[in-house]
């Protein structure tokens, strides 16, 4: 998703802006640009494609200036061309923007009627013209921005600079995240960015704009105002982002590195929620009475939604609490009825997903207690929650979520035990048994990873498929969904997942000898049912790839291949079977030569609807 940065300092900024943009690359983008002011003159460079194209442009046509803004664009309105790339300019005003201006068509028509000529297909250009129009009417920059903001509908973060003003930058936030970085005496300057990671090379003193806030920055000050124009103060804290190492280590891709980090990050997450000595879960800081809670409402998007589905199985089966799970983009407009005294749980790696954040606001307005499972502790979702359950996965850079997903499952499994204990359906002996099974997970995942070369071989065959079907039952159904999503997003092979029992209600018509069917079937109480569905596929010539801790003979039919999993307690089986589906997608994409870490069209942090 789009990334914005801005710097006012005492050194040339163009290169530093590009460095900051590189740290936002993981969000996904298809063009980039920077604008600076030097000797009162505003100038910009933009390029389609990756940041190296922008660097080439800056090499041949450098930009001077100690104030500037930069942007990575993930196209929403208009193709990813150089003309549509930010920063946009009108008169002496230059703007970068993340988010969507929903009423841009109306504003565009109005501005065109006023004689403004649009160069781009973007929604952002209206912002530049609106501010420029206010200034031609005599407003000072601050007043021009404040008035223009009142015309904008939608969710956005934006930054504006003005020709002739080398010590002034104005930013605003409505919905999309916006961090402010504060320089120090040795290196004076002020910084803005879509997240603290972008600003980590410059400063760790960070504050965040709240919804509706806007800020007037100079090299050594930041005056923050709320929606009504009243000056407000926002807490400055020391961000941990700088300490987070963002490199690939010995791996070819971030995704490979992140898959391999899973034993470590799951151990780290477990140690946060488990008293290892006592073999008990520890949620002493979580102030929710699950004994009296009528229901838990979960919403999330994509992979995090699938984690929510696994959570539903775990919390209902082991914790004895009814759970509803929704896709956040559906939930937010469904106006669901919410029980008095209820609680809503949001699951998100980035903590910035626009639909999840909007669902959270809805639940807040219905007086629900808000719990979140988030990976980015400084994120908007974390900050808006009453109770935060962190996943300690570290920064996830690969667009396809892997370690954040299994850490989400880890927290959900531990939470299911806690809920079961509070509701009196898990006794001490069972709690210890389940905790022991969780503690085994990192070792079992390492065992699966040690056989990755077999999955690599198998993936070379899979890379020739046009379509792939994934099947699973019970808690393995969301893992099948996750497997299909991973394959689609990074290899671009069409994949679908079905609950195995649903097969004969339609999708079985797809089966022929060209169709790989990946069956996720740990030996649990639904194993026999899944096996019969698998045999129905085999009888119709489907090429079965069997993922199970059972022996191959248990399949009772011809298998094209098998990925043998180590024996695990059924409680933790989704955590183990998630690994081979990640590896299958990863190696298939590698065989196909796609851009694994930044697949086409995708953004890491989806901050627009
Ligand atoms: C898929 C993937 C996405 C995200 C989804 C939600 O690999 O990563 O489906 O899970 O966009 O993002 P977060 O978890 O940041 O809310």
């Amino acid at each position: 998703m789009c990334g914005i940065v801005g710097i006012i300092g005492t050194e040339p900024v163009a290169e530093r802006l590009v460095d900051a943009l590189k740290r936002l690359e993981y969000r996904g983008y298809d063009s980039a640009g920077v604008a600076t002011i030097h000797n009162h003159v505003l100038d910009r460079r933009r390029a389609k494609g990756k940041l190296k194209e922008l660097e080439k442009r800056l090499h041949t046509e450098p930009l001077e200036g100690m104030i500037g803004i930069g942007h990575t664009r993930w196209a929403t309105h208009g193709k990813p061309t150089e003309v549509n790339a930010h920063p946009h300019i009108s008169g002496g005003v230059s703007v970068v923007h993340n988010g969507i201006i929903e009423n841009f068509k109306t504003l565009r028509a109005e501005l065109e009627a006023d004689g403004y000529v649009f160069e781009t297909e973007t929604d952002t250009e209206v912002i530049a013209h609106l501010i420029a129009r206010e200034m031609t009417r005599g407003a000072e920059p601050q007043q021009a921005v404040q008035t223009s903001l009142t015309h904008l509908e939608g969710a956005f973060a934006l930054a504006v600079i003005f020709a002739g003003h080398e010590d002034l930058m104005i930013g605003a936030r409505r919905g999309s995240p916006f961090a402010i970085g504060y320089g120090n005496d040795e290196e004076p300057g002020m910084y803005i960015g879509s997240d603290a990671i972008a600003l980590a090379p410059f400063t760790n003193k960070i504050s965040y704009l709240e919804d509706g806030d806007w800020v007037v920055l100079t090299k050594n000050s930041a005056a923050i105002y709320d929606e009504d124009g009243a000056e407000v103060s926002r807490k400055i804290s020391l961000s941990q982002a700088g300490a987070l190492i963002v490199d690939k280590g010995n791996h070819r891709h971030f995704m490979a590195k992140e898959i391999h980090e899973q034993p470590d990050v799951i151990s780290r997450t477990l140690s946060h929620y488990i008293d290892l000595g006592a073999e008990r879960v520890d949620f002493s800081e979580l102030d929710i009475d699950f004994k009296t809670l009528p229901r838990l409402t979960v919403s999330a998007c994509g992979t995090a939604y699938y984690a929510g589905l696994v959570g539903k199985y775990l919390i209902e089966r082991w914790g004895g609490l009814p759970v509803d799970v929704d896709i956040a983009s559906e939930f937010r407009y469904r106006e669901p009825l919410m029980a008095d005294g209820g609680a809503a749980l949001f699951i998100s790696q980035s903590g910035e997903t626009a639909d999840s954040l909007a669902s959270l606001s809805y639940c807040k307005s219905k007086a629900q207690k808000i719990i979140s499972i988030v990976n980015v502790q400084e994120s908007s979702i974390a900050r808006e929650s009453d109770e935060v359950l962190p996943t300690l996965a570290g920064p996830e850079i690969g667009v396809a979520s892997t370690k954040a997903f299994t850490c989400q499952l880890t927290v959900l499994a531990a939470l299911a035990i806690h809920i079961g204990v509070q509701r009196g359906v898990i006794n001490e002996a069972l709690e210890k048994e389940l905790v022991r099974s969780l503690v085994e997970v990192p070792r079992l995942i390492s065992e699966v990873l040690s056989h990755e070369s077999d999955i690599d071989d198998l993936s070379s065959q899979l890379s020739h498929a046009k379509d792939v079907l994934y099947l699973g039952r019970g808690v393995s159904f969301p893992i099948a969904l996750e497997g299909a999503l991973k394959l689609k997003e990074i290899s671009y092979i069409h994949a679908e997942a079905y609950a195995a029992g649903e097969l004969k209600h339609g999708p079985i018509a797809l089966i022929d000898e060209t169709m790989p069917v990946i069956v996720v079937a740990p030996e649990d109480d639904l194993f026999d049912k899944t096996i019969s569905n698998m045999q129905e596929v085999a009888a119709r010539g489907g090429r079965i790839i069997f993922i199970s801790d059972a022996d191959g003979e248990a399949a009772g039919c011809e298998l094209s291949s098998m990925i043998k999993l180590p024996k695990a307690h059924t409680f933790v089986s989704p955590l183990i079977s998630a690994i081979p589906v990640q590896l299958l997608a990863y190696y298939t994409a590698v065989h196909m030569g796609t851009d694994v870490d930044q697949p086409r069209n995708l953004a890491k942090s989806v901050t627009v609807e």
Side-chain angles (χ1 to χ4, degrees):
M1 206 83 328
C2 302
I4 64 173
V5 293
I7 304 177
I8 318 185
T10 50
E11 289 175 41
V13 289
E15 228 175 85
R16 303 173 88 203
L17 287 168
V18 175
D19 280 349
L21 289 175
K22 281 185 185 159
R23 298 175 73 85
L24 293 174
E25 271 195 301
Y26 73 94
R27 297 161 74 92
Y29 69 105
D30 31 45
S31 59
V34 294
T36 63
I37 301 167
H38 180 58
N39 288 340
H40 306 295
V41 179
L42 175 66
D43 202 356
R44 68 179 164 186
R45 303 285 179 267
R46 298 175 295 167
K48 181 180 169 195
K50 298 287 175 191
L51 280 168
K52 61 178 186 304
E53 303 304 324
L54 178 64
E55 282 182 305
K56 277 189 216 156
R57 180 65 60 89
L58 282 165
H59 189 68
T60 49
E61 297 168 68
L63 274 183
E64 293 183 80
M66 304 203 206
I67 173 171
I69 49 180
H71 191 263
T72 45
R73 173 172 188 254
W74 185 79
T76 56
H77 296 78
K79 295 198 180 66
T81 58
E82 181 175 331
V83 169
N84 285 333
H86 301 210
H88 293 298
I89 291 183
S90 175
V93 174
S94 183
V95 177
V96 288
H97 158 228
N98 165 22
I100 292 180
I101 305 302
E102 286 169 356
N103 59 335
F104 87 99
K105 282 197 182 137
T106 323
L107 293 173
R108 184 172 171 136
E110 186 191 309
L111 285 157
E112 280 174 336
D114 264 4
Y116 285 88
V117 177
F118 278 74
E119 287 175 1
T120 78
E121 303 157 297
T122 67
D123 52 339
T124 307
E125 200 181 344
V126 297
I127 309 172
H129 289 315
L130 275 175
I131 299 170
R133 184 173 68 175
E134 291 306 317
M135 289 181 69
T136 56
R137 289 173 177 171
E140 287 298 316
Q142 185 168 331
Q143 184 58 46
V145 173
Q146 196 181 1
T147 309
S148 302
L149 287 173
T150 62
H151 295 290
L152 303 178
E153 287 170 19
F156 53 79
L158 54 88
V160 195
I161 53 175
F162 308 84
H165 295 264
E166 281 172 55
D167 195 20
L168 176 67
M169 182 180 298
I170 300 183
R173 174 197 170 166
R174 206 182 289 159
S176 303
F178 191 114
I180 301 171
Y182 296 76
N184 49 41
D185 291 343
E186 289 109 69
E187 208 184 316
M190 294 296 300
Y191 309 87
I192 61 107
S194 297
D195 64 29
I197 294 183
L199 307 184
F202 315 126
T203 180
N204 66 347
K205 274 172 76 185
I206 299 287
S207 68
Y208 291 92
L209 290 190
E210 291 185 7
D211 231 15
D213 284 357
W214 53 286
V215 60
V216 179
L217 297 160
T218 67
K219 307 197 203 15
N220 37 37
S221 70
I224 304 176
Y225 302 89
D226 67 13
E227 217 157 359
D228 302 322
E231 190 161 353
V232 287
S233 74
R234 302 291 176 222
K235 195 173 117 213
I236 301 176
S237 48
L238 293 184
S239 161
Q240 298 301 310
L244 305 170
I245 302 159
V246 183
D247 71 29
K248 292 182 199 152
N250 294 326
H251 296 275
R252 212 165 135 186
H253 298 102
F254 279 110
M255 183 177 178
K257 175 180 173 236
E258 288 159 5
I259 289 175
H260 282 266
E261 279 174 350
Q262 289 177 109
D264 281 349
V265 294
I266 290 172
S267 294
R268 205 191 307 157
T269 303
L270 276 175
S271 59
H272 194 83
Y273 297 101
I274 281 177
D275 177 342
L276 287 167
E279 295 183 321
R280 312 286 301 255
V281 286
D282 180 1
F283 281 81
S284 44
E285 284 171 20
L286 178 60
D287 181 22
I288 306 261
D289 181 5
F290 287 103
K291 196 172 166 52
T292 55
L293 195 74
R295 266 197 119 69
L296 182 65
T297 305
V298 180
S299 35
C301 301
T303 289
Y305 166 68
Y306 297 147
L309 286 179
V310 173
K312 175 180 170 70
Y313 282 99
L314 295 180
I315 294 171
E316 290 192 335
R317 159 76 178 81
W318 299 95
L321 173 70
V323 177
D324 294 318
V325 189
D326 256 295
I327 296 169
S329 55
E330 290 296 316
F331 179 87
R332 63 182 290 188
Y333 292 115
R334 200 159 53 81
E335 301 195 357
L337 304 173
M338 317 237 39
D340 286 347
L345 171 67
F346 298 87
I347 306 171
S348 177
Q349 187 286 125
S350 63
E352 301 295 351
T353 302
D355 287 316
S356 305
L357 205 47
S359 302
L360 186 157
S361 302
Y362 175 81
C363 291
K364 243 186 177 172
S365 73
K366 298 288 168 200
Q368 302 295 293
K369 187 103 177 183
I370 307 295
I371 317 167
S372 61
I373 297 179
V374 281
N375 198 37
V376 181
Q377 303 312 301
E378 299 159 354
S379 62
S380 306
I381 290 183
R383 283 179 287 122
E384 293 289 321
S385 300
D386 299 310
E387 303 285 342
V388 179
L389 301 175
T391 49
L392 303 178
E396 191 178 64
I397 303 297
V399 161
S401 185
T402 52
K403 61 176 183 169
F405 175 65
T406 47
C407 284
Q408 287 159 356
L409 299 188
T410 303
V411 178
L412 286 160
L415 182 65
I417 302 175
H418 172 68
I419 293 173
V421 170
Q422 273 204 349
R423 291 176 77 86
V425 295
I426 291 180
N427 61 22
E428 194 176 326
L430 182 56
E431 179 180 8
K432 286 181 185 247
E433 178 188 325
L434 298 178
V435 166
R436 274 196 291 270
S437 74
L438 267 175
V439 173
E440 281 290 287
V441 166
R443 182 182 66 77
L444 297 173
I445 291 183
S446 299
E447 207 174 313
V448 180
L449 290 171
S450 70
H451 297 294
E452 73 179 317
S453 59
D454 298 339
I455 299 184
D456 182 1
D457 294 343
L458 174 53
S459 302
S460 81
Q461 298 164 34
L462 207 59
S463 64
H464 299 291
K466 268 188 77 211
D467 307 280
V468 178
L469 204 58
Y470 285 73
L471 299 178
R473 259 181 191 265
V475 80
S476 299
F477 172 44
I479 299 301
L481 288 163
E482 171 63 1
L485 176 63
K486 286 289 92 99
L487 190 73
K488 275 187 275 221
E489 63 183 334
I490 59 169
S491 76
Y492 317 144
I493 294 176
H494 170 243
E496 278 194 71
Y498 274 93
E502 186 67 9
L503 200 64
K504 30 179 151 356
H505 299 286
I508 200 162
L510 294 169
I511 306 294
D512 64 16
E513 48 296 331
T514 66
M515 173 73 95
V517 182
I518 298 174
V519 184
V520 185
E523 211 169 1
D524 55 17
D525 43 4
L526 296 174
F527 180 71
D528 292 339
K529 307 269 178 212
T530 312
I531 293 301
S532 350
N533 300 134
M534 188 169 82
Q535 287 166 349
E536 290 156 11
V537 173
R540 284 153 186 89
R543 285 164 47 202
I544 292 169
I545 299 167
F546 185 44
I547 301 179
S548 180
D549 54 348
D551 290 331
E553 295 85 69
C557 63
E558 199 187 322
L559 300 177
S560 167
S561 335
M562 165 149 198
I563 300 174
K564 182 84 164 74
L565 299 178
K567 282 274 171 234
H569 195 295
T570 53
F571 179 61
V572 296
S573 72
L575 276 146
I576 314 302
S577 35
I579 311 304
V581 300
Q582 294 171 349
L583 289 169
L584 273 173
Y586 173 70
Y587 280 109
T588 304
V590 169
H591 284 291
M592 297 184 73
T594 56
D595 187 348
V596 171
D597 284 332
Q598 287 172 30
R600 68 184 182 204
N601 306 338
L602 292 183
K604 180 72 183 160
S605 178
V606 183
T607 50
V608 295
E609 280 193 54

